Amino acid sequence: MRKFVKKLIGLALMATMVMGAMTGCSSNAASNSGTAGSNTSSTANVQVGIVLPTKDEPRWLQDQKQFETILGDAGFTNQVLFSQGSSATEKTNVETLISKGIDVLIICAQDGAAASAAVEEAKAAGVKVIAYDRLVTGTDAVDYYVTFDSFAVGAAQGQYLIDNAPAGSGIPLYLYAGAATDNNAFIFFEGAWSVLQPKIADGTLVVANSSEAINLKDQAELTREQIGTIIGQITTDWDFNVAKSKAEANLTSASASAKGDVLVLAPNDGTARSIADVFASDKDITSYVITGQDSEKASVQYIIDGKQSMTVFKDTRTLAADSVAMAMNILEGKEPATDTTYNNDKIDVPAKQTSIVVVTKDNVKQALIDSGYYNSSEFTGIK
Ligand code: BGC
């Protein structure tokens, strides 16, 4: 009973705070969020558990910050745990949260397929599961999905490359992708391919580092398996070091015609910075245009400095607020609002999708500073 009364008070507060988060305001009430990794010594009851993939990418620290602010301010006990690139740790994290009595699990899977075992345990314990940003696949134990429009992310990256390509034809295009264990990596690539493929097919662009992409260049729509074969050649595993070594290997084996003014599809900001550094240090690369996503601080500085061409802003305030609003509905026994579905290879998961914004040197201040996401003092040379 006590828990129920507390929940109702929390729900009213949360409604206010979710609105506050959406408009950029928040207060500073304490939360009990743990950030230590798989285990904490706290025995406190936790209402909403959040599991994120890694602390080592600034993207997920942004999400953590939003969750702690919104849930903490709303008076909900919550805990954020990181899987640190390990599905085993992820499963332990979910079990830890179940043992603390969570009603709702918000999980961003390390590996979409492997996470099915963890969410099935949660479901068996009566916990509602919200997949966050990355879909959990091959299971019916996902109740909802909150995501950005990942196809639009890839399409925006591809379109940026086309719009900023040097004149002429035969322009070298280097393709890189995310981890094959992440469903999003497929959707990002599918979006980019939808825009780039006609220009590859007509010879305007020439893929420099994927024989599989070259084999499939006349095919407008690829199957998941075909995308998988391309990703197999160009994956970064979402790892900066893998991205760096792959770019180095690609440039070492590239012919003279694959150098000069080039285009680079980099899947996110962390990998973009690694790849950009490699391209910048090759004396035979005259210029490069390179994409990114997440609007990480370091990449925003790279954009200001002209070292990265664009990023995609995915406002983590909105995504966290959407999933918290969903959690609130679930706790109230209401059906959360959704606007689409995503098939996870087992069921159509009801989903809430959020749009994205392309950020370049021209709108960085308006998109990221004026919107209150970052402070201009965090950067040098911002206009
Ligand atoms: C997310 C990206 C992130 C990437 C690597 C993807 O699933 O959507 O925002 O950069 O994972 O962590």
Side-chain angles (χ1 to χ4, degrees):
M1 184 57 171
R2 196 183 61 78
K3 192 175 168 193
F4 183 64
V5 171
K6 190 172 168 207
K7 262 183 195 168
L8 287 182
I9 296 168
L11 289 175
L13 269 167
M14 193 190 281
T16 317
M17 298 320 303
V18 169
M19 292 312 293
M22 285 169 158
T23 53
C25 326
S26 74
S27 69
N28 283 322
S31 87
N32 76 334
S33 299
T35 58
S38 58
N39 293 305
T40 72
S41 55
S42 165
T43 51
N45 183 271
V46 175
Q47 292 166 294
V48 181
I50 298 116
V51 177
L52 296 176
T54 177
K55 283 181 183 184
D56 298 337
E57 292 174 39
R59 155 77 217 263
W60 305 115
L61 299 177
Q62 280 293 335
D63 296 79
Q64 176 195 17
K65 187 174 108 188
Q66 311 309 343
F67 278 120
E68 291 182 347
T69 304
I70 302 167
L71 282 163
D73 285 355
F76 270 75
T77 52
N78 64 89
Q79 187 159 26
V80 180
L81 297 176
F82 288 93
S83 310
Q84 293 308 102
S86 157
S87 293
T89 304
E90 179 177 78
K91 193 152 176 286
T92 311
N93 284 342
V94 170
E95 285 161 0
T96 301
L97 293 167
I98 294 171
S99 74
K100 291 188 177 188
I102 53 166
D103 297 303
V104 180
L105 171 69
I106 299 175
I107 180 168
C108 182
Q110 167 56 36
D111 173 322
S116 60
V119 299
E120 277 162 17
E121 271 192 55
K123 187 181 178 182
V127 172
K128 290 283 183 191
V129 176
I130 301 174
Y132 182 78
D133 195 289
R134 297 179 181 171
L135 192 54
V136 180
T137 54
T139 178
D140 63 2
V142 189
D143 295 290
Y144 299 99
Y145 181 35
V146 178
T147 182
F148 292 103
D149 184 346
S150 296
F151 187 92
V153 171
Q157 293 171 331
Q159 193 59 50
Y160 186 90
L161 293 178
I162 289 170
D163 293 345
N164 293 279
S169 63
I171 299 146
L173 168 65
Y174 290 80
L175 299 172
Y176 297 95
T181 50
D182 178 0
N183 188 55
N184 286 348
F186 287 77
I187 309 178
F188 297 144
F189 189 83
E190 198 184 359
W193 186 258
S194 72
V195 176
L196 293 170
Q197 182 272 335
K199 297 288 177 192
I200 301 171
D202 75 9
T204 309
L205 310 178
V206 176
V207 176
N209 65 333
S210 168
S211 55
E212 297 289 355
I214 294 168
N215 288 343
L216 292 163
K217 75 179 170 54
D218 294 319
Q219 208 170 304
E221 281 184 27
L222 302 176
T223 64
R224 190 176 172 98
E225 203 186 347
Q226 288 170 329
I227 296 176
T229 61
I230 299 175
I231 291 182
Q233 293 184 319
I234 61 169
T235 185
T236 60
D237 278 333
W238 292 133
D239 180 317
F240 317 150
N241 293 320
V242 173
K244 180 171 183 280
S245 350
K246 196 152 271 187
E248 283 168 350
N250 290 157
L251 288 184
T252 302
S253 61
S255 63
S257 65
K259 300 246 176 137
D261 298 315
V262 305
L263 304 176
V264 185
L265 177 76
N268 75 346
D269 283 349
T271 58
R273 294 192 301 278
S274 293
I275 297 167
D277 289 347
V278 173
F279 277 71
S281 65
D282 188 308
K283 63 177 178 22
D284 298 320
I285 298 290
T286 324
S287 74
Y288 63 89
V289 178
I290 188 165
T291 60
Q293 82 166 295
D294 292 335
S295 295
E296 289 183 357
K297 273 184 212 167
S299 278
V300 173
Q301 189 63 56
Y302 260 48
I303 289 173
I304 297 166
D305 296 342
K307 297 199 282 188
Q308 184 177 324
S309 317
M310 63 86 86
T311 184
V312 176
F313 178 38
K314 309 202 305 187
D315 194 333
T316 55
R317 291 171 300 192
T318 310
L319 207 64
D322 279 352
S323 43
V324 168
M326 247 184 200
M328 183 173 77
N329 285 156
I330 291 168
L331 292 171
E332 279 177 321
K334 288 189 192 152
E335 191 60 39
T338 54
D339 45 28
T340 185
T341 59
Y342 273 74
N343 188 278
N344 78 343
D345 239 5
K346 188 86 174 190
I347 52 166
D348 287 330
V349 183
K352 173 107 178 51
Q353 186 169 279
T354 289
S355 56
I356 51 102
V357 176
V358 171
V359 174
T360 66
K361 219 175 199 167
D362 295 338
N363 69 340
V364 67
K365 182 173 173 300
Q366 179 213 339
L368 299 174
I369 309 296
D370 297 350
S371 74
Y373 200 71
Y374 291 134
N375 198 305
S376 62
S377 63
E378 295 172 287
F379 306 99
T380 54
I382 202 153
K383 285 187 219 95

